[in-house]
Amino acid sequence: MAQDCREALLKKNYYENCPGCKVDQLKELRRGLPIRELVSIWIVVLCTALPISSLFPFLYFMVRDFNIAKREEDIGYYAGYIGSSFMFGRALTSVFWGIVADRYGRKPIIIIGTTTVVIFNTLFGLSTNFWMAITTRFLMGSLNGLLGPIKAYACEIFREEHQALGLSTVSTSWGIGLIIGPALGGFLAQPAEKYPNIFPKESLFGRFPYFLPCFCISVFALGVSIASFWLPETLHMHDEERFLSDDSFDAMETAPRGSEGIEKRPSNVRGKQSSGESLIRNWPLMSSIIVYCIFSLHDMAYTEIFSLWAVSPRKFGGLSFSTEDVGVVLAVSGFSLFVFQLSLYPYVERILGPITICRLSGVISIPLLSSYPFIAMLSGFSLTLLLNCASIMKNILSVSIVTGLFLLQNRAVDQHQRGAANGIAMTAMSLFKAVGPAGGGALFSWAQKRQNVSFLPGDHLVFFILNVVEAIGVLMTFKPFLAQPSE
């Protein structure tokens, strides 16, 4: 009899009109791979990743056409402002959107974010001057706060054994978007010059030469916005105090060990107050965010440096690649990354755990990056083969680190704080990512002037500095700095 009472107490209680409880019920009943949810998360993240990077292939020409730069050398200066305005806007509002997601749900923030892409990405493509371009990019970053809540959503919509797969879907879709975006921008910008038989100069796309790639992304975002209305909400919306007042008396009378039954009740409800409520004092969360920022700085600097290194002349230690050659390397890396994250990463994470994956990936990245200047000495098929292998490995290792840190951040807080926690992570990461490209570009320019020095000449210096940042990140994954969330 006592055993029956104990089992009844341990059984979860669900509220009839709570969307989070409905999702939990579905997770309890369903087994197997949740394909529909994976696809939903994939397209939502892809929708917000595409406009971030799609402008880089044509941004130089766009700024030139604005006639704001007095000299050609100043074009990069103004292009940097437009490129960083999105990240700056996102850094200012990520915490706010996370708090709103914790109060009103993940789904409204997802819909607002995808709708923001539709509106402001379209307006950016129609920009006629520098200030319109920078304003639309800033507003798109400020009002698109879905990346933090979508990571919380990916943890909540899946059963525990599929959470690593859900978060790897977020990071993989993000990485693929940052690869597909520049391809769209490069192939579709200035269509009247590239495809005059299809787009006459008198047409809309002829008068606004950078509108076509933005228009295509906005049409995709519109479809995602409409589809998002059918996403299930995962936030628990019921009053825990009423739950406790109804059930606590009977539970305390029948529970074999005091209030054990109450402790096993669902606690992920809105309005929960507990010890350690302050996210800033939650060291497992904050330490994982700091480590995440270090690796984000490294990844953005690497992304900037890789493209510059690949297209720079051989005499400066580069590869003399064309933009199409770089696009092929990135496309191969993106496809391999997609296959790895969906097939192997969840199993590796289950065996090793997220922290071990971060450490191993960081350690392996150091000798890999050190080999890049020597790869540049090759030519022909051997260069193509080794460069693609190195690029595939580097991207897989980088995304494995990011996914592992996503898991640590989301496991360090309860559901009612998960949106705000991811908002803090997005704010900090956005600031570091805004520094990464500028710092990487400056470092690369400095290294180009050091071709004949005896210690770390040319690109050897660039990849050495990248390895120093990577090594710092690896050291920070050990105790006492990085703390694991309590079980």
mmCIF file of all heavy atoms in Angstrom, residues 194-227:
data_model
loop_
_atom_site.group_PDB
_atom_site.id
_atom_site.type_symbol
_atom_site.label_atom_id
_atom_site.label_comp_id
_atom_site.label_asym_id
_atom_site.label_seq_id
_atom_site.Cartn_x
_atom_site.Cartn_y
_atom_site.Cartn_z
ATOM 1 N N LYS A 194 24.673 40.898 -63.944
ATOM 2 C CA LYS A 194 25.040 39.490 -64.105
ATOM 3 C C LYS A 194 24.074 38.738 -65.018
ATOM 4 O O LYS A 194 24.489 37.840 -65.753
ATOM 5 C CB LYS A 194 25.074 38.813 -62.727
ATOM 6 C CG LYS A 194 26.132 39.376 -61.788
ATOM 7 C CD LYS A 194 26.041 38.735 -60.417
ATOM 8 C CE LYS A 194 27.079 39.312 -59.468
ATOM 9 N NZ LYS A 194 26.948 38.790 -58.094
ATOM 10 N N TYR A 195 22.788 39.080 -64.926
ATOM 11 C CA TYR A 195 21.772 38.368 -65.714
ATOM 12 C C TYR A 195 20.883 39.383 -66.441
ATOM 13 O O TYR A 195 19.688 39.508 -66.146
ATOM 14 C CB TYR A 195 20.921 37.476 -64.801
ATOM 15 C CG TYR A 195 21.712 36.771 -63.718
ATOM 16 C CD1 TYR A 195 21.640 37.195 -62.379
ATOM 17 C CD2 TYR A 195 22.537 35.699 -64.027
ATOM 18 C CE1 TYR A 195 22.359 36.551 -61.382
ATOM 19 C CE2 TYR A 195 23.269 35.050 -63.035
ATOM 20 C CZ TYR A 195 23.175 35.483 -61.719
ATOM 21 O OH TYR A 195 23.897 34.848 -60.736
ATOM 22 N N PRO A 196 21.442 40.129 -67.400
ATOM 23 C CA PRO A 196 20.671 41.211 -68.045
ATOM 24 C C PRO A 196 19.473 40.718 -68.843
ATOM 25 O O PRO A 196 18.515 41.471 -69.022
ATOM 26 C CB PRO A 196 21.716 41.871 -68.959
ATOM 27 C CG PRO A 196 22.760 40.822 -69.181
ATOM 28 C CD PRO A 196 22.812 40.030 -67.918
ATOM 29 N N ASN A 197 19.493 39.470 -69.304
ATOM 30 C CA ASN A 197 18.356 38.946 -70.062
ATOM 31 C C ASN A 197 17.139 38.679 -69.178
ATOM 32 O O ASN A 197 16.010 38.658 -69.657
ATOM 33 C CB ASN A 197 18.755 37.653 -70.781
ATOM 34 C CG ASN A 197 19.820 37.889 -71.840
ATOM 35 O OD1 ASN A 197 19.871 38.969 -72.423
ATOM 36 N ND2 ASN A 197 20.666 36.892 -72.074
ATOM 37 N N ILE A 198 17.383 38.475 -67.882
ATOM 38 C CA ILE A 198 16.284 38.189 -66.947
ATOM 39 C C ILE A 198 15.870 39.452 -66.200
ATOM 40 O O ILE A 198 14.669 39.676 -65.962
ATOM 41 C CB ILE A 198 16.718 37.093 -65.944
ATOM 42 C CG1 ILE A 198 17.157 35.835 -66.690
ATOM 43 C CG2 ILE A 198 15.579 36.766 -64.983
ATOM 44 C CD1 ILE A 198 17.716 34.753 -65.787
ATOM 45 N N PHE A 199 16.850 40.286 -65.826
ATOM 46 C CA PHE A 199 16.566 41.483 -65.019
ATOM 47 C C PHE A 199 17.041 42.723 -65.771
ATOM 48 O O PHE A 199 18.230 43.081 -65.690
ATOM 49 C CB PHE A 199 17.263 41.392 -63.661
ATOM 50 C CG PHE A 199 16.889 40.187 -62.855
ATOM 51 C CD1 PHE A 199 17.716 39.062 -62.826
ATOM 52 C CD2 PHE A 199 15.712 40.159 -62.131
ATOM 53 C CE1 PHE A 199 17.382 37.951 -62.079
ATOM 54 C CE2 PHE A 199 15.365 39.050 -61.378
ATOM 55 C CZ PHE A 199 16.196 37.938 -61.361
ATOM 56 N N PRO A 200 16.167 43.396 -66.527
ATOM 57 C CA PRO A 200 16.552 44.630 -67.231
ATOM 58 C C PRO A 200 16.935 45.729 -66.241
ATOM 59 O O PRO A 200 16.515 45.732 -65.081
ATOM 60 C CB PRO A 200 15.281 45.002 -68.006
ATOM 61 C CG PRO A 200 14.449 43.769 -68.027
ATOM 62 C CD PRO A 200 14.777 43.002 -66.785
ATOM 63 N N LYS A 201 17.729 46.672 -66.709
ATOM 64 C CA LYS A 201 18.169 47.767 -65.844
ATOM 65 C C LYS A 201 17.019 48.653 -65.380
ATOM 66 O O LYS A 201 17.099 49.317 -64.352
ATOM 67 C CB LYS A 201 19.220 48.616 -66.567
ATOM 68 C CG LYS A 201 20.553 47.913 -66.736
ATOM 69 C CD LYS A 201 21.599 48.856 -67.300
ATOM 70 C CE LYS A 201 22.964 48.168 -67.390
ATOM 71 N NZ LYS A 201 24.017 49.070 -67.910
ATOM 72 N N GLU A 202 15.918 48.670 -66.166
ATOM 73 C CA GLU A 202 14.766 49.503 -65.805
ATOM 74 C C GLU A 202 13.868 48.828 -64.774
ATOM 75 O O GLU A 202 12.938 49.454 -64.242
ATOM 76 C CB GLU A 202 13.933 49.831 -67.051
ATOM 77 C CG GLU A 202 14.673 50.625 -68.123
ATOM 78 C CD GLU A 202 15.625 49.764 -68.926
ATOM 79 O OE1 GLU A 202 15.443 48.515 -68.921
ATOM 80 O OE2 GLU A 202 16.552 50.318 -69.548
ATOM 81 N N SER A 203 14.093 47.555 -64.483
ATOM 82 C CA SER A 203 13.244 46.828 -63.543
ATOM 83 C C SER A 203 13.563 47.233 -62.105
ATOM 84 O O SER A 203 14.534 47.942 -61.832
ATOM 85 C CB SER A 203 13.439 45.320 -63.708
ATOM 86 O OG SER A 203 14.756 44.950 -63.320
ATOM 87 N N LEU A 204 12.742 46.761 -61.173
ATOM 88 C CA LEU A 204 12.948 47.049 -59.747
ATOM 89 C C LEU A 204 14.311 46.565 -59.291
ATOM 90 O O LEU A 204 15.023 47.264 -58.547
ATOM 91 C CB LEU A 204 11.841 46.371 -58.927
ATOM 92 C CG LEU A 204 11.947 46.509 -57.409
ATOM 93 C CD1 LEU A 204 11.752 47.955 -56.972
ATOM 94 C CD2 LEU A 204 10.919 45.605 -56.716
ATOM 95 N N PHE A 205 14.698 45.377 -59.754
ATOM 96 C CA PHE A 205 15.979 44.812 -59.323
ATOM 97 C C PHE A 205 17.151 45.484 -60.018
ATOM 98 O O PHE A 205 18.294 45.364 -59.560
ATOM 99 C CB PHE A 205 15.989 43.306 -59.585
ATOM 100 C CG PHE A 205 14.916 42.560 -58.836
ATOM 101 C CD1 PHE A 205 13.829 42.012 -59.516
ATOM 102 C CD2 PHE A 205 14.976 42.420 -57.470
ATOM 103 C CE1 PHE A 205 12.842 41.333 -58.838
ATOM 104 C CE2 PHE A 205 13.991 41.747 -56.777
ATOM 105 C CZ PHE A 205 12.916 41.199 -57.464
ATOM 106 N N GLY A 206 16.890 46.179 -61.119
ATOM 107 C CA GLY A 206 17.932 46.969 -61.760
ATOM 108 C C GLY A 206 18.152 48.282 -61.038
ATOM 109 O O GLY A 206 19.292 48.744 -60.885
ATOM 110 N N ARG A 207 17.056 48.900 -60.583
ATOM 111 C CA ARG A 207 17.158 50.183 -59.860
ATOM 112 C C ARG A 207 17.660 49.994 -58.432
ATOM 113 O O ARG A 207 18.256 50.902 -57.853
ATOM 114 C CB ARG A 207 15.794 50.880 -59.855
ATOM 115 C CG ARG A 207 15.403 51.414 -61.241
ATOM 116 C CD ARG A 207 14.104 52.188 -61.221
ATOM 117 N NE ARG A 207 12.946 51.322 -61.062
ATOM 118 C CZ ARG A 207 12.129 51.324 -60.021
ATOM 119 N NH1 ARG A 207 12.347 52.159 -59.027
ATOM 120 N NH2 ARG A 207 11.095 50.507 -59.966
ATOM 121 N N PHE A 208 17.389 48.816 -57.850
ATOM 122 C CA PHE A 208 17.880 48.485 -56.496
ATOM 123 C C PHE A 208 18.727 47.216 -56.619
ATOM 124 O O PHE A 208 18.227 46.098 -56.432
ATOM 125 C CB PHE A 208 16.722 48.278 -55.528
ATOM 126 C CG PHE A 208 15.878 49.497 -55.313
ATOM 127 C CD1 PHE A 208 14.713 49.685 -56.044
ATOM 128 C CD2 PHE A 208 16.255 50.467 -54.399
ATOM 129 C CE1 PHE A 208 13.930 50.811 -55.853
ATOM 130 C CE2 PHE A 208 15.474 51.598 -54.199
ATOM 131 C CZ PHE A 208 14.310 51.776 -54.929
ATOM 132 N N PRO A 209 20.018 47.382 -56.952
ATOM 133 C CA PRO A 209 20.845 46.214 -57.319
ATOM 134 C C PRO A 209 21.108 45.229 -56.189
ATOM 135 O O PRO A 209 21.563 44.111 -56.453
ATOM 136 C CB PRO A 209 22.154 46.853 -57.805
ATOM 137 C CG PRO A 209 22.180 48.213 -57.201
ATOM 138 C CD PRO A 209 20.752 48.654 -57.087
ATOM 139 N N TYR A 210 20.813 45.604 -54.947
ATOM 140 C CA TYR A 210 21.092 44.700 -53.822
ATOM 141 C C TYR A 210 19.805 44.202 -53.162
ATOM 142 O O TYR A 210 19.838 43.672 -52.049
ATOM 143 C CB TYR A 210 21.981 45.424 -52.794
ATOM 144 C CG TYR A 210 23.150 46.096 -53.464
ATOM 145 C CD1 TYR A 210 23.183 47.483 -53.629
ATOM 146 C CD2 TYR A 210 24.193 45.346 -53.989
ATOM 147 C CE1 TYR A 210 24.242 48.096 -54.284
ATOM 148 C CE2 TYR A 210 25.249 45.955 -54.651
ATOM 149 C CZ TYR A 210 25.273 47.325 -54.792
ATOM 150 O OH TYR A 210 26.313 47.923 -55.457
ATOM 151 N N PHE A 211 18.698 44.378 -53.866
ATOM 152 C CA PHE A 211 17.394 44.008 -53.317
ATOM 153 C C PHE A 211 17.091 42.522 -53.504
ATOM 154 O O PHE A 211 16.436 41.910 -52.654
ATOM 155 C CB PHE A 211 16.300 44.856 -53.966
ATOM 156 C CG PHE A 211 14.914 44.535 -53.496
ATOM 157 C CD1 PHE A 211 14.605 44.511 -52.146
ATOM 158 C CD2 PHE A 211 13.901 44.240 -54.398
ATOM 159 C CE1 PHE A 211 13.321 44.210 -51.701
ATOM 160 C CE2 PHE A 211 12.619 43.930 -53.970
ATOM 161 C CZ PHE A 211 12.331 43.925 -52.618
ATOM 162 N N LEU A 212 17.554 41.908 -54.588
ATOM 163 C CA LEU A 212 17.157 40.527 -54.903
ATOM 164 C C LEU A 212 17.555 39.531 -53.821
ATOM 165 O O LEU A 212 16.709 38.731 -53.386
ATOM 166 C CB LEU A 212 17.733 40.109 -56.262
ATOM 167 C CG LEU A 212 17.340 38.699 -56.739
ATOM 168 C CD1 LEU A 212 15.830 38.549 -56.830
ATOM 169 C CD2 LEU A 212 17.996 38.390 -58.082
ATOM 170 N N PRO A 213 18.808 39.507 -53.332
ATOM 171 C CA PRO A 213 19.127 38.547 -52.265
ATOM 172 C C PRO A 213 18.325 38.804 -50.995
ATOM 173 O O PRO A 213 17.887 37.860 -50.330
ATOM 174 C CB PRO A 213 20.630 38.743 -52.031
ATOM 175 C CG PRO A 213 20.960 40.069 -52.618
ATOM 176 C CD PRO A 213 20.006 40.269 -53.747
ATOM 177 N N CYS A 214 18.096 40.080 -50.659
ATOM 178 C CA CYS A 214 17.298 40.409 -49.476
ATOM 179 C C CYS A 214 15.845 39.976 -49.673
ATOM 180 O O CYS A 214 15.210 39.465 -48.738
ATOM 181 C CB CYS A 214 17.364 41.910 -49.192
ATOM 182 S SG CYS A 214 19.021 42.526 -48.818
ATOM 183 N N PHE A 215 15.322 40.171 -50.880
ATOM 184 C CA PHE A 215 13.943 39.792 -51.178
ATOM 185 C C PHE A 215 13.752 38.278 -51.045
ATOM 186 O O PHE A 215 12.760 37.813 -50.459
ATOM 187 C CB PHE A 215 13.578 40.251 -52.586
ATOM 188 C CG PHE A 215 12.212 39.819 -53.038
ATOM 189 C CD1 PHE A 215 11.073 40.415 -52.521
ATOM 190 C CD2 PHE A 215 12.070 38.805 -53.979
ATOM 191 C CE1 PHE A 215 9.811 40.006 -52.933
ATOM 192 C CE2 PHE A 215 10.818 38.393 -54.398
ATOM 193 C CZ PHE A 215 9.681 38.998 -53.871
ATOM 194 N N CYS A 216 14.692 37.501 -51.569
ATOM 195 C CA CYS A 216 14.575 36.036 -51.485
ATOM 196 C C CYS A 216 14.600 35.561 -50.029
ATOM 197 O O CYS A 216 13.815 34.683 -49.637
ATOM 198 C CB CYS A 216 15.713 35.377 -52.264
ATOM 199 S SG CYS A 216 15.618 35.603 -54.052
ATOM 200 N N ILE A 217 15.474 36.144 -49.221
ATOM 201 C CA ILE A 217 15.529 35.770 -47.800
ATOM 202 C C ILE A 217 14.253 36.192 -47.085
ATOM 203 O O ILE A 217 13.730 35.458 -46.237
ATOM 204 C CB ILE A 217 16.771 36.409 -47.141
ATOM 205 C CG1 ILE A 217 18.044 35.783 -47.727
ATOM 206 C CG2 ILE A 217 16.734 36.233 -45.627
ATOM 207 C CD1 ILE A 217 19.320 36.472 -47.289
ATOM 208 N N SER A 218 13.705 37.357 -47.430
ATOM 209 C CA SER A 218 12.475 37.837 -46.789
ATOM 210 C C SER A 218 11.279 36.960 -47.151
ATOM 211 O O SER A 218 10.404 36.723 -46.307
ATOM 212 C CB SER A 218 12.209 39.291 -47.192
ATOM 213 O OG SER A 218 13.221 40.152 -46.707
ATOM 214 N N VAL A 219 11.225 36.475 -48.394
ATOM 215 C CA VAL A 219 10.140 35.565 -48.784
ATOM 216 C C VAL A 219 10.220 34.270 -47.969
ATOM 217 O O VAL A 219 9.208 33.754 -47.477
ATOM 218 C CB VAL A 219 10.206 35.265 -50.294
ATOM 219 C CG1 VAL A 219 9.255 34.128 -50.663
ATOM 220 C CG2 VAL A 219 9.856 36.511 -51.098
ATOM 221 N N PHE A 220 11.432 33.745 -47.804
ATOM 222 C CA PHE A 220 11.625 32.551 -46.969
ATOM 223 C C PHE A 220 11.209 32.833 -45.532
ATOM 224 O O PHE A 220 10.526 32.018 -44.894
ATOM 225 C CB PHE A 220 13.092 32.125 -47.037
ATOM 226 C CG PHE A 220 13.449 31.018 -46.086
ATOM 227 C CD1 PHE A 220 12.950 29.736 -46.265
ATOM 228 C CD2 PHE A 220 14.292 31.252 -45.015
ATOM 229 C CE1 PHE A 220 13.282 28.709 -45.393
ATOM 230 C CE2 PHE A 220 14.633 30.239 -44.134
ATOM 231 C CZ PHE A 220 14.126 28.961 -44.324
ATOM 232 N N ALA A 221 11.595 34.006 -45.003
ATOM 233 C CA ALA A 221 11.242 34.364 -43.628
ATOM 234 C C ALA A 221 9.734 34.514 -43.463
ATOM 235 O O ALA A 221 9.180 34.180 -42.402
ATOM 236 C CB ALA A 221 11.951 35.659 -43.226
ATOM 237 N N LEU A 222 9.048 35.004 -44.497
ATOM 238 C CA LEU A 222 7.592 35.124 -44.423
ATOM 239 C C LEU A 222 6.947 33.746 -44.286
ATOM 240 O O LEU A 222 6.026 33.558 -43.477
ATOM 241 C CB LEU A 222 7.066 35.828 -45.675
ATOM 242 C CG LEU A 222 5.541 35.991 -45.772
ATOM 243 C CD1 LEU A 222 5.016 36.828 -44.606
ATOM 244 C CD2 LEU A 222 5.162 36.619 -47.112
ATOM 245 N N GLY A 223 7.425 32.778 -45.055
ATOM 246 C CA GLY A 223 6.913 31.421 -44.924
ATOM 247 C C GLY A 223 7.167 30.843 -43.548
ATOM 248 O O GLY A 223 6.291 30.182 -42.959
ATOM 249 N N VAL A 224 8.347 31.106 -42.985
ATOM 250 C CA VAL A 224 8.675 30.619 -41.646
ATOM 251 C C VAL A 224 7.780 31.290 -40.603
ATOM 252 O O VAL A 224 7.319 30.641 -39.651
ATOM 253 C CB VAL A 224 10.161 30.870 -41.330
ATOM 254 C CG1 VAL A 224 10.482 30.473 -39.890
ATOM 255 C CG2 VAL A 224 11.043 30.090 -42.294
ATOM 256 N N SER A 225 7.524 32.597 -40.766
ATOM 257 C CA SER A 225 6.650 33.319 -39.820
ATOM 258 C C SER A 225 5.252 32.718 -39.793
ATOM 259 O O SER A 225 4.670 32.518 -38.715
ATOM 260 C CB SER A 225 6.568 34.801 -40.210
ATOM 261 O OG SER A 225 7.836 35.406 -40.200
ATOM 262 N N ILE A 226 4.715 32.412 -40.963
ATOM 263 C CA ILE A 226 3.373 31.818 -41.021
ATOM 264 C C ILE A 226 3.375 30.425 -40.399
ATOM 265 O O ILE A 226 2.490 30.084 -39.602
ATOM 266 C CB ILE A 226 2.885 31.772 -42.483
ATOM 267 C CG1 ILE A 226 2.729 33.200 -43.030
ATOM 268 C CG2 ILE A 226 1.575 31.002 -42.595
ATOM 269 C CD1 ILE A 226 2.459 33.262 -44.521
ATOM 270 N N ALA A 227 4.386 29.626 -40.715
ATOM 271 C CA ALA A 227 4.461 28.266 -40.172
ATOM 272 C C ALA A 227 4.649 28.273 -38.654
ATOM 273 O O ALA A 227 4.212 27.334 -37.967
ATOM 274 C CB ALA A 227 5.602 27.508 -40.843
#
